Amino acid sequence: MAPLKKFVKAAFTATAPNYQSTSKPGSGGSSIGSTSLLSGLDVASVSLEEMCGLFKAEPADNLYLTSNGERGVCLYKPVKKGDVVLSIPISSCFRDDEPPRWYEHLENGEANEDEHDITDYERYSPSGWASRLAASVLDLELNNSEGEVQNENDLKMGREMWQSMLPDEDILRASLPVHWGEEIVGSTKCTALELAIDSAYFARATAVFTLTDELKQVLEDNKNEKEEIATADLERKCHDALDIVQTRACRVERATEDGAQWGPPLRILAPIFDFINHASSRITGQGSANAEFGVENEQMCDMHEAKLVVRALRDIDEGEEVLIDYGDSARPAWRCLTSYGFVPDYDLDADTNDEEPIENVAELWMNGLRFDVDPNSVPYDLVEVAAAQTMLDYSVDEDEFAKEEEEIENGMLTPLVARTIADRATEAAVNLVIETEEGDSEEDVWDKAEFVQAASLANRLRWSQHEVLMKFAKNLRELCNPEPEEED
């Protein structure tokens, strides 16, 4: 019988996911306001080299988008470890501290023009920074600002190119659980996801209310707007903009080269950079992250020369896809789905970087209590609950139970308790793949791409949890019945 701590590292094979990059379909966005600079644009003809030129990004000639059904960023030429893959000026990005002029907080009917009137609470508030970035996305659709110099026109055209390549609005909406109905949410059989949706729903409602209110005002003041837009349509526009922000924005620190932080974190939408797909940096080998990003050329209280830079973590070959780790918001699977609208593929036998936390977990209920488990560790509280259940399931007498309890208190996971947990995990895993009862949805709902997208993601999440639980149970049973050592 192995001690619990040793059991975690020795009896279980170290595991972590292997993410196969996934991309969403692109489409042209509809415009609220006047005619686009890119009317008649053929999206397929847009090259990253052209976009890099408009955004002043470098190098401009080494990146291209894959076109084999999975959109991602690949290299024409190899890049060595530590070299720059992409560098884009912060000034070319949408910034949460530079919302459009029409998006201003009102006090006593007068607009605050001082950017310092944005409080630290608003900077850190999820709905606050997301609303400001979404306002910038909406402002691009309003198209109410004309560039006065060539650089401004280049940036304007670049952003319209970027907008034309964003995911289809309906499919993106269907990918995010915050928009799902009760039937789809319930079919995931994931309590953590349901709680995350509840929390996100109220933050989203606040952001939509604020955006809609200020968008109404700017449209009323826009003399070129001949037709009044219904409130429901404006709310949908705001939701679409927030969906883009949620799935494509990143956070960077305001800090000097020596690490001194001089301001709150900055949230940005960086065109071209946001086409790079996710992979884990906690695993090694094929399918792992091969690049990282950060802000460079930043000075104290000055980001005019700052750039968002992507550098290679290892040598990246010609034709290889560039992959970055999206961070803690992309793990475990239910959180990645909530944040970005996809479920990563996990290889539970992939090699991991030493001491890195596990990537994916599944929830396991026992005696009315919920536990998060992963393939190579067992929560101590779960062992205690299972020990009590073991006494009932296996008719263990008091003396034998006392011996089991003593071993557990000494940090031991006994084979009998491990078998109880394994049986419960297997039962839970099987329950995840059993067809759920049909709800009240109309029969023709399966003909709608949006419903199919949401249902497919719910199924992928259940399967992801199923695989974790089955691997967890398998490793526990190997502890109960270890293979005999071969004699020399």
Side-chain angles (χ1 to χ4, degrees):
M1 293 176 288
L4 187 59
K5 291 183 178 179
K6 291 183 179 179
F7 169 72
V8 171
K9 291 188 177 180
F12 275 7
T13 303
T15 58
N18 182 0
Y19 174 69
Q20 187 69 30
S21 62
T22 309
S23 58
K24 306 182 185 73
S27 72
S30 58
S31 177
I32 301 177
S34 59
T35 304
S36 166
L37 289 176
L38 299 174
S39 56
L41 171 71
D42 180 5
V43 175
S45 68
V46 175
S47 70
L48 288 191
E49 182 175 357
E50 185 178 4
M51 290 184 68
C52 285
L54 293 171
F55 286 115
K56 304 298 185 288
E58 298 176 338
D61 59 351
N62 198 32
L63 303 177
Y64 69 92
L65 288 176
T66 55
S67 56
N68 58 354
E70 290 186 357
R71 191 169 72 180
V73 177
C74 294
L75 300 178
Y76 282 120
K77 297 174 290 187
V79 173
K80 294 292 185 181
K81 178 180 178 180
D83 286 351
V84 173
V85 175
L86 172 68
S87 174
I88 181 169
I90 295 294
S91 59
S92 294
C93 305
F94 298 98
R95 298 172 47 167
D96 81 297
D97 63 344
E98 293 182 351
R101 296 286 296 174
W102 57 265
Y103 185 79
E104 298 170 332
H105 298 282
L106 303 179
E107 292 183 2
N108 301 322
E110 297 182 359
N112 291 323
E113 297 184 358
D114 187 353
E115 68 172 23
H116 296 292
D117 287 334
I118 300 177
T119 65
D120 285 343
Y121 172 79
E122 289 171 320
R123 289 186 186 278
Y124 283 102
S125 168
S127 62
W129 67 261
S131 296
R132 292 193 295 276
L133 276 179
S136 295
V137 174
L138 290 167
D139 191 60
L140 182 59
E141 292 195 18
L142 285 169
N143 203 20
N144 62 353
S145 59
E146 296 294 336
E148 297 178 356
V149 296
Q150 183 61 41
N151 286 343
E152 293 181 5
N153 273 326
D154 285 350
L155 182 59
K156 185 181 180 67
M157 183 173 290
R159 287 180 171 181
E160 290 189 359
M161 278 189 179
W162 168 80
Q163 184 186 33
S164 72
M165 301 174 71
L166 292 176
D168 176 84
E169 295 165 350
D170 293 331
I171 296 299
L172 179 57
R173 181 181 179 86
S175 301
L176 295 174
V178 71
H179 298 302
W180 290 358
E182 292 184 4
E183 180 181 351
I184 297 294
V185 173
S187 72
T188 64
K189 302 181 181 180
C190 181
T191 304
L193 179 72
E194 293 186 26
L195 294 174
I197 292 172
D198 288 343
S199 177
Y201 179 84
F202 292 105
R204 174 61 73 94
T206 300
V208 169
F209 176 82
T210 302
L211 278 168
T212 302
D213 187 53
E214 300 208 27
L215 191 57
K216 281 182 180 179
Q217 184 63 49
V218 73
L219 290 176
E220 288 175 1
D221 295 341
N222 189 346
K223 297 179 181 180
N224 295 327
E225 193 67 34
K226 298 179 181 180
E227 297 181 4
E228 182 178 353
I229 301 178
T231 299
D233 293 334
L234 289 179
E235 289 176 347
R236 174 57 195 268
K237 286 287 185 184
C238 294
H239 271 296
D240 291 343
L242 287 163
D243 290 344
I244 292 169
V245 170
Q246 177 178 328
T247 55
R248 310 184 85 81
C250 70
R251 164 179 163 157
V252 295
E253 299 296 332
R254 298 175 194 254
T256 58
E257 292 183 358
D258 59 3
Q261 188 167 348
W262 56 268
L266 180 68
R267 275 81 170 189
I268 61 175
L269 265 174
I272 305 173
F273 168 80
D274 67 333
F275 294 147
I276 300 177
N277 285 324
H278 164 77
S280 176
S281 61
R282 296 181 179 178
I283 64 171
T284 58
Q286 185 177 5
S288 63
N290 54 22
E292 62 182 350
F293 68 94
V295 176
E296 299 183 9
N297 296 340
E298 184 177 359
Q299 304 296 325
M300 181 71 73
C301 300
D302 182 6
M303 298 193 73
H304 288 88
E305 302 298 325
K307 295 183 178 182
L308 181 66
V309 180
V310 179
R311 291 187 179 274
L313 284 170
R314 56 174 172 80
D315 291 352
I316 307 177
D317 296 331
E318 174 186 344
E320 186 176 354
E321 183 177 2
V322 179
L323 300 169
I324 60 174
D325 193 318
Y326 287 4
D328 291 340
S329 56
R331 53 180 64 91
W334 64 263
R335 183 174 287 121
C336 186
L337 177 58
T338 305
S339 302
Y340 300 109
F342 68 89
V343 178
D345 294 328
Y346 295 98
D347 179 1
L348 298 180
D349 295 315
D351 293 330
T352 62
N353 294 315
D354 293 338
E355 304 300 328
E356 287 286 359
I358 196 67
E359 289 270 327
N360 198 18
V361 299
E363 62 184 29
L364 179 65
W365 290 83
M366 179 171 281
N367 293 352
L369 298 175
R370 177 185 173 278
F371 302 93
D372 285 331
V373 300
D374 63 70
N376 65 334
S377 64
V378 183
Y380 187 79
D381 291 345
L382 173 58
V383 176
E384 291 184 322
V385 172
Q389 187 65 42
T390 300
M391 185 175 182
L392 299 175
D393 292 346
Y394 294 96
S395 299
V396 179
D397 60 43
E398 293 185 6
D399 291 339
E400 187 174 353
F401 177 76
K403 181 180 178 181
E404 291 270 335
E405 190 174 34
E406 181 180 356
E407 291 176 339
I408 292 170
E409 289 177 353
N410 290 331
M412 306 285 286
L413 178 62
T414 67
L416 198 57
V417 173
R419 188 179 302 117
T420 299
I421 299 175
D423 290 345
R424 179 68 191 96
T426 301
E427 179 185 357
V430 171
N431 181 60
L432 284 169
V433 294
I434 294 176
E435 289 293 332
T436 56
E437 295 182 3
E438 294 185 2
D440 298 329
S441 298
E442 299 178 2
E443 293 182 1
D444 62 352
V445 75
W446 286 99
D447 294 331
K448 298 180 179 179
E450 297 85 354
F451 184 85
V452 173
Q453 174 75 1
S456 174
L457 286 169
N459 289 338
R460 285 178 61 84
L461 179 61
R462 286 206 313 274
W463 182 252
S464 173
Q465 307 295 284
H466 166 84
E467 289 187 312
V468 170
L469 289 172
M470 290 300 291
K471 184 74 172 181
F472 175 70
K474 177 179 179 291
N475 290 336
L476 281 167
R477 289 196 173 90
E478 288 178 355
L479 175 73
C480 301
N481 302 292
E483 296 181 1
E485 296 182 2
E486 296 182 2
E487 297 182 0
D488 295 334

